[in-house]
Every structure is written in structure tokens, then in C-alpha cells.
Amino acid sequence: MTAASPARRLSGLLPRRSDWTPARRSAGRDLTAGLIVAVVALPLALAFGISSGLGAQAGLVTAIVAGTLAAVFGGSNLQVSGPTGAMTVVLAPIVARHGAGGVLMVGLMAGLILLGMAALRAGRFAALLPTPVIEGFTAGIAVVIALQQVPAALGVTGPHAEKVWQSAGQAAVRFAGHPTAAAPAMAVAVAAVMLAGARIRPAVPFSLIGIVGATLVAEAASLDVARIGALPSGLPAPSLGFLDAGAAMALLPSALAVAALAALESLLCAKVADGMSVGERHDPDRELFGQGVANLAAPMLGGVPATAAIARTAVNVRAGARSRLAALTHAAVLAVIVLAAGNLVGRIPLAALAGVLLATTVRMVEVGSLRAIARATRGDGVVLVLTFAVTVVFDLITAVAVGVALAVVVALRAVAASGRLDEVPLKSGDGDGGQTAEEQRLLDEHIVAYRFDGPLFFAAAHRFLLELSQVSDVRIVILRMSRISALDATGAGVLGDAITRLEDRGITVLVSGVKAGHDQILAALGVAEHLRRDGLVFPTTPDAIAYARAHLRTSGVLPLAGSAELPRLTPKPST
């Protein structure tokens, strides 16, 4: 690597003039799309800010700041970034343990981690996450977000617990003791308007219609429901007052979790955007860089950690966006709303925002996709269900770790099951010439050949050892290894154990067809070294059979033939 390589790598992550070429061709469509996305994003930004524990203002700041910076520095022309439901699931426990300052610190650290991931070109690894894990934690996130809305939807304040399902249970108990109808009715009505409206007119922002209607009803009827509260008329001044070097190590696991979630959700969202458009291809490393810059800046202004938002990005694409100008327009419109209508936004009932998120969770779950994965294989179904359950009961990062680990085990089991050890007949034409029927019978009685097919590695090796240990009473065993697709140290060691066990029973072992790469592993571990020394490793199976026949002749098992001589016991190179 040359000294200029780091500089070239950094320059490849920075914005370039060509990023804005599409904007010059479709400025009008992008401006319109950005306005539509802003209308959809406003209630979501407010709701996710409140759900995170930092308040509605934090949600708006995140949508504005992260939306702007991710649009400029990110790797997709169509992404719209801001606060998301998945992120609030991770942030709520951080708020409970470390307060608002802890969340801001985590966001800043996560931004640095994302920048490091971009520099290391880690974007390509997101494609390796198994689909059952993605679908499982997406469904789990939907349930957790819905549980987070239970207190606000019931008009109950105060319940705080380590787990969201505990808070939901406490809110339900309090509501049962003092039931009121206004908040639940409002939440249900807003959710119903969104879900029903999406079926009739998908392009219409029914979330905003539902919130405006609920706010007007609450004002006209003077309903006793909790409101967002007054918002500052402008963005906060940048500040690093939340920095606490002493808490950095304690917050590092949370920062890693936030960075991993931001990377995963953003790259998955970019992939979805590419699939919805024609000719668009995102740059995964630039996307990580853009999210890193956004998450560095948002905490300085009081915002929560951000990521690309699939719902808002989908609206952006469907509205006709072609460039980054649409995401910038969305952020600018939200900034105008904060500056000009902060007092009006503050009158929105919390129950109405809870209704928006309840409807959002319903639309997050793709029942058909879940059913298809559950029916695909038993292993995929187990991974899906377990990831979902751990997400709801524990937390998202634990769920992803457990899901990926289980998926790896399932995959290894499937690969191991694909390997076989088959007894293969000796063909009459193999070896040093034809033979009579009587000679063939004697060969079959005293020589057995086994062929390995597939991988011989730690997950399957001991099964092969057991099968080889059950070989019937014969004089010679030929191990055909040309079809082994993968060999590791465990497989090589087990092969050596099998050879030793066979030889301890007085059986001569011959090996044929060892590939060059596998031969290096065997040689490095000293496996079957004595077979090489004695010339019992052969390049092809016919060579091994010829040796075996000649060996049986000298032993008196087969009749001597004038042309048959015992092959020289000199090592032969294996291929």
C-alpha cells in the first residue's frame, strides 16, 4: 500500500460534483417530493423523539440536522434520514440508565464508530446478515414500538421500567384503576384513519390528517389529554457540554450497538431504495460515512442518534425524487415548521402521536414474508422466532447476536449434512487389467473403497470417523479423497484417527486423489505421514486398486499372474 492510499480512500468517501447532476435535471420533482416527505416525516419525528425519551424537539432536530448531512455526505441519492423506531428501541434503556446526556454521548461515539467503519470499507458486510434475522428483529421492533406507545395511548404517565413490556403492563394496571376514554379513543381513531386511508389513497399523508384532526377535536372539546408542550422557536445552539470522558467506557457497548443498528438499517434502506428505482446504486461505504457525519453533528444540537428511515425513503421514491435535493428539501421544510409553527406543534396530543406509531408498527410487519420464511425450512423458522422473541423480551442487539449465531449453526449443520461417506464398488476395468469373475469376487471380499463427498470439517468429521470405524472385516481400505470440497484441522485429525483405528485392526489403508491444498494441511499436521513414507498415497484410485490387487497376490489371496508385480513402495505425489 502506498502512502497516498489513505488519502485516496478518504477522497472516495467525500461528496463530489457528480452527486448533484440528477438534481439539475429534475429539480421540480425533487422539491415536490421533499415537501411530501416533510409532511409525512413531521409526525414521525415528533413521535420518535418522544419515544426516545429526549422529547419532541430532539426528534425534530435529528430530522433536520441528520436529514441534511446524510443527504450531502451519504452514499444514496434517495435516502431520507432522521429518528427511527428501531433506534428508539435502543435509546430508551440508555435514557433510563444514563439520562439525556448519556444518549447524546452515545450518539457522538456512534458517529465516530461509523466513520471508522466507512474507512475500513465495512459496508459490504451488511449483505451477509441472514434474512430470517432481519425479518425477526423487524417484527420484534414493531412489537416493542407498539408496547412503548401503550402509556401514551391509555393517557397514563409515569410508568418507567427496565423493559418496555414491563412499562406497558404497569400502564395497563394504572389505566384499569382509573379508566378514561379520551386518550385511547384518540389513539385508535388516528391509527384507524392511517390504516384505512393507506388502503384507499396510499399517496395521501393520512398521518398528518389524523394528527391535525385529533388536535382540532382536543382543542374544540377542551379534552384533558397530555400534549407535546411548547417547543423553542428555533434550533438549539451547538454544545459539547454533555461530554463526560469518565463515562465513555461504560457507554461504549451502547455506542457500538447504536452504530451497528445505524449501519444496518441505513444499508438495508439503501438497498430497498435501489430496488424501488431504476438505475440507482448506492455506495455502502459512503453511506456509512454520511451517517457517521450526521450522528457526530446531531448530538451537538440536542438530537438523538439517526439512521436512514425506510418509510420516509419509500415515500420519497414514490413521490418521484431523483436526487439528494429531495432529502434536503424535506429537512428545510421541517426547519421552517420549527421556526414558524412551534407553538402549534406543541398543542398536539401525545395520544395522537401514539396512534401514528401504532399504525406504523402494523405496516412494518410483512405477514406474508414472515409466513414464507417460517415455511421455508425448520432452521429458518427457528431463527426467525427466536430473534423476534429475544428482541421483545431483551433487546435488539442481543437479538441480532443470538439470531446470527443460531443462523450460523443452522448453516453449518446443513453444510455438514451435505457431506457423505459412500462405499463404492471396484470396477472391473480398474487397476492393472481385467480379471475373472472369481478374481472379482475375491477382490470384493478383501478390498473396500470409500469415497468422501463434500466437506470434511469440524461439524461433520466425527460422523465420518464413526462410519469408518464400523468398516467390516477386510484386508485393505482405499480412501478416495478427490471429492472433498473442504478440509480443516479437525477433519484432518479425525482422518488420521480413522486410519490409526483401521490399522490397529490389521487393515492396510491406501489413500488416493488428495488435492494439493488438502495435502498441505495433512502434511502440516503430520497426518498419514507413514503412508507417504511407505508409498501408500496414490494420485488416482486405479493406481491404488492396482497396488491392492498386487498386494493380495503376494499374500496368496489372489492367484499370481505372470504380468502382475507388486508396485514399488516409493512415495507418489498426490494431486
Side-chain angles (χ1 to χ4, degrees):
M1 181 179 294
T2 65
S5 293
R8 286 201 299 268
R9 183 177 302 177
L10 177 61
S11 65
L13 299 174
L14 295 176
R16 56 198 67 156
R17 185 185 299 272
S18 60
D19 292 342
W20 299 98
T21 300
R24 292 193 287 270
R25 297 195 297 262
S26 60
R29 299 175 70 175
D30 288 328
L31 292 172
T32 302
L35 178 60
I36 294 172
V37 174
V39 171
V40 173
L42 175 61
L44 293 175
L46 296 170
F48 288 139
I50 293 171
S51 293
S52 71
L54 266 67
Q57 181 188 8
L60 285 174
V61 167
T62 305
I64 296 168
V65 176
T68 299
L69 293 176
V72 174
F73 291 93
S76 170
N77 289 328
L78 305 175
Q79 293 263 60
V80 179
S81 296
T84 63
M87 192 62 77
T88 64
V89 172
V90 178
L91 297 180
I94 300 174
V95 174
R97 295 173 190 168
H98 304 284
V103 172
L104 300 179
M105 184 80 172
V106 164
L108 189 73
M109 294 170 66
L112 292 172
I113 293 170
L114 287 166
L115 292 179
M117 293 172 65
L120 294 174
R121 304 296 190 191
R124 61 187 181 277
F125 295 115
L128 302 179
L129 199 65
T131 298
V133 175
I134 296 172
E135 294 292 342
F137 81 66
T138 299
I141 287 170
V143 172
V144 172
I145 295 173
L147 292 173
Q148 286 178 337
Q149 308 318 307
V150 170
L154 296 178
V156 176
T157 57
H160 294 288
E162 183 70 19
K163 302 300 180 184
V164 65
W165 50 269
Q166 294 173 328
S167 296
Q170 293 174 11
V173 170
R174 292 190 187 186
F175 178 79
H178 302 281
T180 58
M186 185 175 293
V188 171
V190 171
V193 167
M194 285 184 61
L195 294 175
R199 289 180 173 272
I200 301 170
R201 292 288 182 87
V204 176
F206 283 99
S207 58
L208 185 63
I209 293 174
I211 283 182
V212 171
T215 304
L216 292 176
V217 169
E219 292 292 318
S222 299
L223 296 179
D224 184 19
V225 290
R227 314 292 180 111
I228 289 178
L231 297 177
S233 56
L235 295 176
S239 172
L240 290 174
F242 58 85
L243 288 180
D244 183 0
M249 290 306 299
L251 293 172
L252 181 59
S254 298
L256 290 170
V258 167
L261 178 59
L264 176 62
E265 193 168 10
S266 296
L267 294 175
L268 289 176
C269 181
K271 188 174 180 180
V272 170
D274 289 347
M276 294 178 63
S277 57
V278 178
E280 285 291 337
R281 289 295 178 269
H282 72 282
D283 183 329
D285 297 315
R286 279 195 64 191
E287 183 58 32
L288 292 179
F289 184 80
Q291 294 298 330
V293 172
N295 280 286
L296 273 179
M300 299 180 191
L301 295 167
V304 298
T307 179
I310 292 179
R312 277 157 273 180
T313 299
V315 171
N316 193 39
V317 176
R318 293 193 187 107
R322 292 291 183 271
S323 77
R324 301 162 187 263
L325 180 60
L328 281 178
T329 302
H330 133 270
V333 172
L334 290 179
V336 170
I337 292 174
V338 170
L339 293 172
N343 291 333
L344 294 177
V345 171
R347 300 301 300 167
I348 296 175
L350 295 179
L353 293 178
V356 170
L357 292 188
L358 288 172
T360 301
T361 60
V362 173
R363 296 166 64 178
M364 283 176 64
V365 179
E366 297 286 346
V367 177
S369 178
L370 296 178
R371 186 182 294 116
I373 292 173
R375 291 176 176 176
T377 66
R378 180 179 299 178
D380 285 339
V382 171
V383 172
L384 173 70
V385 172
L386 186 61
T387 305
F388 168 81
V390 175
T391 300
V392 175
V393 177
F394 296 100
D395 58 75
L396 178 63
I397 301 305
T398 302
V400 173
V402 170
V404 169
L406 183 58
V408 169
V409 171
V410 170
L412 285 175
R413 182 181 178 186
V415 172
S418 68
R420 300 195 315 275
L421 178 66
D422 298 323
E423 181 179 350
V424 291
L426 300 178
K427 298 179 181 179
S428 59
D430 284 339
D432 58 354
Q435 59 266 340
T436 66
E438 175 63 17
E439 194 173 345
Q440 180 67 47
R441 183 185 66 78
L442 290 172
L443 284 172
D444 292 339
E445 287 179 0
H446 296 284
I447 303 175
V448 63
Y450 283 93
R451 182 179 63 210
F452 293 95
D453 274 298
L456 179 57
F457 69 130
F458 70 93
H462 293 285
R463 174 167 58 85
F464 290 142
L465 175 61
L466 181 62
E467 293 181 30
L468 278 175
S469 299
Q470 297 173 347
V471 171
S472 59
D473 231 1
V474 295
R475 290 174 176 259
I476 300 176
V477 169
I478 300 173
L479 301 180
R480 302 174 62 174
M481 301 181 61
S482 60
R483 295 192 183 182
I484 292 180
S485 58
L487 179 70
D488 68 357
T490 302
V494 167
L495 180 65
D497 290 342
I499 292 172
T500 301
R501 293 189 185 190
L502 292 171
E503 290 177 334
D504 287 343
R505 292 164 53 190
I507 298 173
T508 300
V509 179
L510 311 179
V511 176
S512 70
V514 183
K515 295 180 180 178
H518 299 162
D519 191 50
Q520 292 175 3
I521 297 174
L522 297 175
L525 297 174
V527 174
E529 188 62 36
H530 65 290
L531 298 185
R532 287 186 181 79
R533 186 175 59 250
D534 295 338
L536 302 181
V537 177
F538 299 90
T540 66
T541 300
D543 290 338
I545 294 175
Y547 175 88
R549 291 179 61 197
H551 183 75
L552 291 178
R553 285 196 179 99
T554 60
S555 302
V557 175
L558 292 178
L560 289 173
S563 59
E565 296 181 1
L566 189 67
R568 295 167 57 193
L569 299 181
T570 54
K572 299 185 179 182
S574 58
T575 58

